[in-house]
Amino acid sequence: QVQLVESGGGLVQAGGSLRLSCAASGRTFSTLVMGWFRQAPGKEREFVAAISREGGNTYYSDSVKGRLTISRDNANNGVYLQMSSLKPEDTAVYYCAGRNGIFRRSYMNRVSSYDYWGQGTQVTVSS
């Protein structure tokens, strides 16, 4: 079993930056593909970014490409989402997710591809 705990959310003005963190425990973190998703009120959970087990491959949704950067630190069991040039439409609860298995872009953007989820952290971007 894996436990994921997100932190770093908050209120920020449009154009600002935030760094989200996700701490993992309970299983060898380096064996997991990791991802970030988000869910705005009244909307379905949507894919944001994913990173391979060793960190060499990343994948982003078109809506965040160039503004958000996913990274990981296997020595400290953490995955991060650096967010810059934030927009009001980035407002959502952000979830960290872990996947057993390989990194493959064709299904990294699917909620069903992930086995473990955190509780989420709220990000609010004001205009």
Side-chain angles (χ1 to χ4, degrees):
Q1 191 63 291
V2 175
Q3 292 79 44
L4 302 174
V5 179
E6 302 94 337
S7 62
L11 174 64
V12 63
Q13 289 188 330
S17 299
L18 277 176
R19 185 176 189 248
L20 304 184
S21 298
C22 174
S25 61
R27 183 193 163 114
T28 304
F29 177 70
S30 61
T31 67
L32 300 174
V33 171
M34 298 300 296
W36 285 96
F37 285 73
R38 66 186 182 187
Q39 188 166 17
K43 295 188 177 181
E44 293 187 352
R45 192 168 298 190
E46 67 169 354
F47 171 75
V48 174
I51 189 166
S52 60
R53 287 174 286 188
E54 75 286 352
N57 291 294
T58 57
Y59 179 47
Y60 297 91
S61 70
D62 289 341
S63 62
V64 307
K65 198 175 297 182
R67 301 188 299 117
L68 276 58
T69 302
I70 189 170
S71 62
R72 66 189 296 162
D73 181 349
N74 287 346
N76 291 296
N77 289 0
V79 61
Y80 312 98
L81 188 67
Q82 179 66 47
M83 311 168 70
S84 60
S85 302
L86 284 164
K87 305 175 182 180
E89 50 264 42
D90 293 317
T91 295
V93 177
Y94 283 72
Y95 296 91
C96 171
R99 165 183 163 78
N100 294 312
I102 64 173
F103 178 92
R104 185 166 291 173
R105 291 191 173 197
S106 57
Y107 47 77
M108 289 294 91
N109 59 350
R110 303 176 190 173
V111 170
S112 60
S113 294
Y114 294 82
D115 303 290
Y116 311 106
W117 292 87
Q119 294 301 306
T121 185
Q122 176 70 47
V123 172
T124 303
V125 184
S126 63
S127 57

